[in-house]
């Protein structure tokens, strides 16, 4: 049975062996068992039902959540010689009838439908004209309200199963599901004693990075400059963020597109196809983009904002490196993202139990963003994997070679403060107390009388909140679920207070980039693009990047050698083999490359890597506003800084307020004479703070703009806090 499956894998897909877990899942289905497979994005879930579809009598019905997803899969299947079709809302009733007739007569082996289609009794009756041997449910987590992408229409699947005159084998597939969701899916789809396969969530070719506290726009601009020839996705949390980032990159001359639900259908379709066809190499999008995208050569996925859950993050990040080639997944974290996601949860209209669950999932993402442990280990353990190695050597934590910093004293002070506040308050108020804030709420509750009040005033409130987040991620603290979570001490924190264990924090370092010599690869990539335009299919349907890279390493110059390239099956060899072999031979001739047949597949991996040298001056360059801040902390006045740095007064003022807004330790009272503050506040309350000149004109002449700005900033922050 498995041998026949392997023959079809080689014939149609061009691979000699199944990936991890595929063989077991296929054997289970072919043995007639209901099957539930949890396999990471890019692990080849679709092969697990497509190959059985070729071996079983009748048709395989595939429930797929998006029109773009089913069209993409059908196009891919047809390109490798497998007869498949779909039925969705884009078809007329006559076209639907015609396709059902063709399926019934055996013209197609796979039929893709959307779950909403199954809510129609008329359509379900039409399906009873078919011999359905296998029902495959893609993105099966959508059936569970505890999943990250619950869709009520998925409830129609179990109703359809009851209506079919002969119950087919049921196979369900998902990339991201915790144990709770897996149990729910089995129950809701009414799977009968299913074989359950969790093949592991690890994607070894993906590197994971979390970046906190950096200017996001500056980071993205530099990253794209360093990776300008690579294909990438940048996810944002809102349409506005998508539009703004698109405009920024478009003006910079980058080949970029955008995708969100605010665009009309035609715009979304055009932008998606441009990305699929390599006409643009960067797409900026909300989470509306991606489920229907099977693009294999995405080299990086940047999350500009925090996602609502680990499931959503891992699914979106998993769209990188589907060809098995190294790809980067970068998450840019800011505290504002957490507030935005909480707003989305409150606006969702979900039942209270689901809201609590959503807050719990969001906290897991906050923990991930602050953990000092291996990021891969954090992800895998979240999904229930056991015995995960402590160090993956492919994430920003593991690749950070800096020394651990002992923060035991700071941790003890934080734990002590939480204890004295009776574990009844949230992160922000705890940070205010530790900083020694004169916040109205702090004073009203009498927390300025606590022994821990102002005990770590050398830190900013933002830095203290970050420390609390780190300690939460490392399970010294826990947060109650909800919109305003309360901080509690855990058993590990008690051990720290008793001086039984120490607490450490790690400081991140940046890695130097590596660039490969890809001469032949780029030639083959151009050829692939020509073919894709000629045949009107996305480039990755011709060949994946991994296949082109292997060709550029091993130089296959005949059909036998070309079939040894992973991803080259008989159908694609017949369609494209001659053109690629000709291109390879031409490149070899022009570059005087001669390979002996017996060593062709042993020395092909001898590639030259050119390390990009970092200019130490530029690499260590301190931003101008930080230089101003350091001089201010040395005790120098604004006038002294202006004189020494030869800057305008307005520039230095902007530096100071930028530092204050980013949470640096800036005492705004340094710029507000005591006898002026009350008068400035009185004027602000009368005429507002939207414009400075009216305020200045309403005040005595000796009160300068610096004092006014500092008061506005201080007053605004006091009102907010």
């Amino acid at each position: 049975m498995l041998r026949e499956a392997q023959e079809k894998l080689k014939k149609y897909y061009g691979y000699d062996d199944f990936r991890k877990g595929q063989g077991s899942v296929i054997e289970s289905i072919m043995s007639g068992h209901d099957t539930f497979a949890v396999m990471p994005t890019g692990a080849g879930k679709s092969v697990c039902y497509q190959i059985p579809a070729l071996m079983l009598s009748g048709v395989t019905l595939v429930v797929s959540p998006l029109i773009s997803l089913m069209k993409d899969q059908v196009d891919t299947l047809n390109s490798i010689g497998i007869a498949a079709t779909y039925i969705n809302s884009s078809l007329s009733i006559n076209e639907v009838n015609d396709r059902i007739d063709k399926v019934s007569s055996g013209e197609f082996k796979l039929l893709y439908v959307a779950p909403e289609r199954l809510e129609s009794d008329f359509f379900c009756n039409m399906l009873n004209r078919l011999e359905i041997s296998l029902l495959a449910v893609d993105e099966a987590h959508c059936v569970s309200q505890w999943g990250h992408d619950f869709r009520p229409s998925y409830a129609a699947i179990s109703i359809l199963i009851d209506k079919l005159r002969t119950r087919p084998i049921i196979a369900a597939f998902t990339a991201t599901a915790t144990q709770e969701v897996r149990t729910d899916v089995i129950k809701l789809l009414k799977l009968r004693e299913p074989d359950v396969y969790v093949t592991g969530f690890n994607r070894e070719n993906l590197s994971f990075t979390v970046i906190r506290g950096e200017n996001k726009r500056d980071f993205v601009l530099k990253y794209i400059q360093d990776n300008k020839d690579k294909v990438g996705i940048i996810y944002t949390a809102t349409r506005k963020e998508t539009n703004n980032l698109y405009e920024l990159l478009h003006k910079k001359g980058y080949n970029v597109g955008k995708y969100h639900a605010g665009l009309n259908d035609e715009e979304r379709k055009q932008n998606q196809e441009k990305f699929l066809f390599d006409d643009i190499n960067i797409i900026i999008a909300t989470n509306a983009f991606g489920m229907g995208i099977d693009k294999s050569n995405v080299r990086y996925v940047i999350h500009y904002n925090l996602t609502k859950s680990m499931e959503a993050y891992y699914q979106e990040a998993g769209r990188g490196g589907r060809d098995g080639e190294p790809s980067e997944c970068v998450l840019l974290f800011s505290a504002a993202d957490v507030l935005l996601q909480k707003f989305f949860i409150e606006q969702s209209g979900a039942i209270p139990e689901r809201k609590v669950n959503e807050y719990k999932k969001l906290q897991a993402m906050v923990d991930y963003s602050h953990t000092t442990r291996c990021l891969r280990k954090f992800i895998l353990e979240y999904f229930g994997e056991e015995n995960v190695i402590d160090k993956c050597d492919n994430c920003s934590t593991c690749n950070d070679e800096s020394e651990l910093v002992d923060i035991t004293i700071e941790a003890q002070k934080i734990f002590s403060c939480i204890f004295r506040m009776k574990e009844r308050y949230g992160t922000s108020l705890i940070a205010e107390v530790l900083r020694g804030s004169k916040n109205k709420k702090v004073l009203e509750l009498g927390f300025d009388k606590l022994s821990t009040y102002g005990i770590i005033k050398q830190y900013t409130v933002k830095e203290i909140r970050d420390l609390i987040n780190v300690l939460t991620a490392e399970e010294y603290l826990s947060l109650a679920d909800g919109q305003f979570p309360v901080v509690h001490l855990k058993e590990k924190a008690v051990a720290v207070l008793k001086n039984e264990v120490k607490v450490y924090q790690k400081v991140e370092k940046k890695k130097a980039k590596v660039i490969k010599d890809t001469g032949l690869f780029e030639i083959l990539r151009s050829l692939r693009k020509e073919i894709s335009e000629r045949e009107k299919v996305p480039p990755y349907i011709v060949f994946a990047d991994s296949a082109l890279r292997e060709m550029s390493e091993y130089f296959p110059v005949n059909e036998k050698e070309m079939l040894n390239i992973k991803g080259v099956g008989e159908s694609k060899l017949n369609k494209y083999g001659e053109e690629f072999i000709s291109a390879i031979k031409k490149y070899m001739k022009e570059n005087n490359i001669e390979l002996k047949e017996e060593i062709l597949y042993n020395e092909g991996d001898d590639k030259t890597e050119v390390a990009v040298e970092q200019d130490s001056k530029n690499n260590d360059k301190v931003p101008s506003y930080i230089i101003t801040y350091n001089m201010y902390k040395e005790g120098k006045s604004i006038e002294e800084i202006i004189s020494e740095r030869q800057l305008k007064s307005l520039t230095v003022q902007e530096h100071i307020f930028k530092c204050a807004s980013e949470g640096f330790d800036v005492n705004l009272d340094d710029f507000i004479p005591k006898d002026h503050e009350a008068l400035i506040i009185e004027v602000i309350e009368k005429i507002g703070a939207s414009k400075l000149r009216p305020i200045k004109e309403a005040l005595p002449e000796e009160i300068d703009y610096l004092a006014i700005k500092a008061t506005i900033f201080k007053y605004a922050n006091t009102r907010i806090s």
Side-chain angles (χ1 to χ4, degrees):
M1 187 186 301
L2 194 58
R3 185 172 181 177
E4 182 185 352
Q6 283 181 313
E7 289 173 356
K8 294 192 181 300
L9 179 73
K10 180 64 177 175
K11 177 179 175 64
Y12 292 104
Y13 299 88
Y15 294 96
D16 293 314
D17 299 302
F18 288 112
R19 295 180 185 176
K20 180 182 177 183
Q22 287 179 325
S24 300
V25 174
I26 289 170
E27 279 194 302
S28 172
I29 293 171
M30 293 307 300
S31 298
H33 298 157
D34 282 358
T35 306
F36 184 25
V38 183
M39 307 168 75
T41 303
K45 294 185 294 296
S46 56
V47 168
C48 294
Y49 60 81
Q50 289 170 358
I51 285 185
L54 297 173
M55 299 166 65
L56 292 166
S57 62
V59 67
T60 290
L61 183 68
V62 184
V63 179
S64 184
L66 292 176
I67 290 176
S68 56
L69 178 59
M70 62 178 73
K71 182 181 184 303
D72 186 57
Q73 293 227 0
V74 167
D75 287 345
T76 301
L77 288 168
N78 289 332
S79 76
I80 61 175
I82 297 176
T85 191
Y86 59 82
I87 291 175
N88 59 37
S89 57
S90 67
L91 304 178
S92 68
I93 186 62
N94 289 333
E95 288 174 314
V96 170
N97 275 315
D98 181 57
R99 293 195 183 188
I100 289 287
D101 288 341
K102 287 180 178 178
V103 173
S104 180
S105 64
E107 286 191 38
F108 298 107
K109 291 298 292 180
L110 292 104
L111 172 62
Y112 285 75
V113 299
E116 290 79 7
R117 177 72 51 168
L118 305 181
E119 295 173 336
S120 162
D121 288 337
F122 175 73
F123 184 73
C124 290
N125 290 333
M126 290 179 72
L127 291 178
N128 264 320
R129 291 159 51 190
L130 309 177
E131 179 194 351
I132 301 175
S133 303
L134 172 64
L135 171 59
V137 182
D138 202 5
E139 309 293 346
H141 62 271
C142 293
V143 78
S144 170
Q145 73 162 326
W146 309 121
H148 69 283
D149 193 19
F150 172 55
R151 301 198 179 191
S153 59
Y154 264 65
I157 298 172
S158 61
I159 297 172
L160 167 70
I161 294 169
D162 292 337
K163 289 180 179 178
L164 293 175
R165 64 172 185 267
T166 303
R167 185 185 188 277
I169 304 164
I170 313 296
F173 300 87
T174 183
T176 49
T178 59
Q179 181 59 57
E180 179 184 33
V181 173
R182 296 200 288 268
T183 301
D184 212 28
V185 169
I186 291 170
K187 175 185 173 184
L188 293 170
L189 290 179
K190 300 178 182 178
L191 302 186
R192 296 178 180 174
E193 299 181 358
D195 291 336
V196 179
Y197 297 93
V198 181
T199 63
F201 293 88
N202 194 12
R203 293 277 306 281
E204 293 181 0
N205 63 311
L206 300 183
S207 68
F208 295 96
T209 299
V210 172
I211 293 176
R212 301 191 306 271
E214 286 198 24
N215 183 295
K216 293 184 179 184
R217 287 194 167 201
D218 290 349
F219 174 85
V220 167
L221 286 172
K222 186 176 187 312
Y223 187 94
I224 291 176
Q225 177 61 32
D226 291 342
N227 298 273
K228 56 187 174 184
D229 295 326
K230 294 182 180 178
V231 174
I233 302 172
I234 303 175
Y235 280 108
T236 62
T238 65
R239 301 175 190 178
K240 182 178 179 181
E241 200 88 78
T242 296
N243 291 334
N244 290 343
L245 198 54
Y246 167 80
E247 291 298 332
L248 175 69
L249 297 183
H250 183 66
K251 286 177 181 176
K252 294 283 184 181
Y254 289 107
N255 201 10
V256 62
K258 62 180 177 178
Y259 190 104
H260 58 68
L263 303 176
N264 63 47
D265 291 344
E266 186 59 30
E267 285 179 301
R268 289 200 301 273
K269 181 181 177 183
Q270 285 180 1
N271 290 341
Q272 178 171 298
E273 289 190 351
K274 284 179 181 178
F275 185 63
L276 292 176
F277 282 78
D278 287 350
D279 293 325
I280 56 176
N281 65 336
I282 305 168
I283 191 85
I284 303 168
T286 61
N287 61 6
F289 175 84
M291 191 177 282
I293 303 303
D294 194 22
K295 190 172 173 66
S296 63
N297 64 333
V298 175
R299 295 279 71 88
Y300 62 86
V301 179
I302 296 174
H303 278 82
Y304 199 75
N305 305 101
L306 194 73
T307 59
K308 64 180 180 178
S309 68
M310 181 56 70
E311 289 92 335
Y313 175 72
Y314 201 50
Q315 186 176 59
E316 290 166 9
R319 286 165 190 148
R322 293 174 70 101
D323 53 7
E325 294 286 296
S327 301
E328 293 186 274
C329 307
V330 181
L331 172 64
L332 305 179
F333 175 87
S334 73
D337 296 338
V338 182
L339 298 177
L340 180 63
Q341 290 298 338
K342 286 184 176 182
F343 172 78
F344 288 156
I345 292 171
E346 286 304 307
Q347 296 297 311
S348 67
I351 60 174
E353 293 86 352
R354 181 167 171 82
K355 280 188 179 181
V356 170
N357 191 55
E358 293 298 301
Y359 279 119
K360 184 178 178 181
K361 289 177 181 292
L362 177 59
Q363 184 57 46
M365 280 306 301
V366 176
D367 291 350
Y368 172 77
S369 303
H370 288 86
T371 186
T372 59
R373 292 176 288 159
C374 169
L375 296 179
R376 190 181 308 277
K377 179 180 175 71
F378 187 103
I379 293 170
L380 299 182
E381 288 183 341
Y382 176 87
F383 288 111
E385 290 204 13
E386 299 176 352
N387 303 316
V388 183
I389 59 171
D390 292 329
K391 198 170 186 292
C392 74
D393 294 325
N394 198 20
C395 74
S396 57
T397 303
C398 293
N399 292 335
D400 176 13
E401 298 174 357
S402 61
E403 292 183 357
L404 290 170
V405 176
D406 188 334
I407 59 165
T408 306
I409 300 299
E410 288 87 346
Q412 288 173 330
K413 291 176 179 179
I414 291 170
F415 299 157
S416 181
C417 187
I418 293 168
F419 177 76
R420 283 169 172 75
M421 292 174 71
K422 303 188 185 302
E423 301 179 67
R424 292 171 53 193
Y425 300 94
T427 301
S428 294
L429 192 61
I430 294 166
E432 295 276 5
V433 174
L434 287 161
R435 177 72 176 83
S437 168
K438 297 191 183 300
N439 179 294
K440 183 179 178 182
K441 188 172 183 180
V442 171
L443 301 180
E444 283 180 352
L445 293 169
F447 289 146
D448 57 324
K449 306 295 191 297
L450 295 178
S451 60
T452 52
Y453 178 74
I455 199 171
I456 47 177
K457 61 174 62 177
Q458 71 272 27
Y459 287 85
T460 66
V461 169
K462 178 182 180 298
E463 288 169 338
I464 297 171
R465 284 202 305 262
D466 285 345
L467 277 174
I468 294 173
N469 283 328
V470 168
L471 295 168
T472 303
E474 298 310 307
E475 299 184 344
Y476 294 98
L477 302 172
S478 65
L479 296 180
D481 298 327
Q483 187 177 6
F484 305 105
V486 173
V487 183
H488 297 285
L489 299 173
K490 297 186 78 170
E491 199 170 322
K492 282 177 70 175
V494 176
V496 175
L497 286 169
K498 291 179 178 179
N499 285 315
E500 293 174 357
V501 295
K502 289 187 174 293
V503 183
Y504 296 93
Q505 187 179 20
K506 209 172 186 182
V507 181
E508 296 176 357
K509 281 185 178 178
K510 293 181 179 177
K511 301 179 291 182
K513 292 282 180 185
V514 170
I515 298 176
K516 287 187 177 180
D517 177 9
T518 55
L520 178 56
F521 176 75
E522 292 302 329
I523 290 171
L524 298 181
R525 202 160 163 253
S526 296
L527 173 58
R528 180 181 67 180
K529 177 64 175 168
E530 291 174 15
I531 294 172
S532 78
E533 290 176 347
R534 182 180 75 212
E535 301 201 354
K536 295 181 172 54
V537 296
Y540 64 84
I541 285 182
V542 179
F543 284 124
D545 270 16
S546 54
L548 300 188
R549 204 171 299 284
E550 200 170 333
M551 291 178 201
S552 67
E553 290 175 354
Y554 297 139
F555 300 96
V557 291
N558 56 50
E559 290 188 357
K560 181 181 177 182
E561 291 171 357
M562 188 62 84
L563 281 172
N564 280 323
I565 300 296
K566 291 177 183 176
V568 181
E570 292 176 11
S571 176
K572 289 195 175 183
L573 176 67
N574 292 333
K575 281 185 179 180
Y576 314 123
E578 186 177 336
E579 289 178 88
F580 280 87
I581 289 171
S582 296
I584 292 166
K585 285 181 176 178
K586 181 181 178 184
Y587 178 85
M588 292 173 68
K589 183 177 180 180
E590 291 174 349
N591 291 274
N592 297 315
I593 297 173
E594 293 184 14
L595 293 178
K596 295 181 181 178
E597 189 174 347
E598 62 267 23
I599 64 169
L600 183 60
Y601 290 95
N602 292 325
E603 296 192 351
D605 58 350
D606 183 17
K607 307 293 288 181
T608 303
E609 292 190 347
V610 183
V612 178
E613 294 183 6
Q614 299 290 335
D615 182 346
S616 59
K617 289 183 181 179
N618 289 334
N619 203 37
D620 298 331
K621 187 176 180 181
V622 180
S624 183
Y625 74 98
I626 298 296
I627 296 173
T628 297
Y629 174 77
N630 290 336
M631 294 174 72
Y632 158 72
K633 291 301 289 181
E634 289 170 5
K636 294 182 178 178
S637 67
I638 293 290
E639 290 72 22
E640 288 173 323
I641 297 171
I642 292 169
S643 176
E644 288 186 30
R645 298 206 62 203
Q646 295 294 298
L647 295 174
K648 293 181 180 179
S649 174
L650 183 61
T651 302
V652 173
Q653 290 178 28
E654 291 301 324
H655 286 177
I656 294 296
F657 292 122
K658 178 176 174 63
C659 290
S661 68
E662 292 185 3
F664 287 72
D665 186 17
V666 176
N667 186 357
L668 295 169
D669 290 336
D670 291 343
F671 314 109
I672 311 170
K674 287 186 179 179
D675 55 340
H676 290 172
E677 183 172 359
L679 189 56
I680 296 171
I681 291 173
E682 184 182 341
V683 171
I684 290 172
E685 288 182 337
K686 284 182 180 178
I687 66 176
S690 59
K691 293 183 179 180
L692 292 176
R693 178 171 288 180
I695 299 172
K696 180 75 171 72
E697 292 174 349
L699 289 166
E701 193 173 340
E702 65 268 20
I703 300 179
D704 60 18
Y705 277 107
L706 177 59
I708 296 170
K709 288 180 184 177
T711 304
I712 291 172
F713 194 92
K714 178 182 176 181
Y715 186 58
N717 281 352
T718 303
R719 291 286 295 274
I720 290 167
S721 59

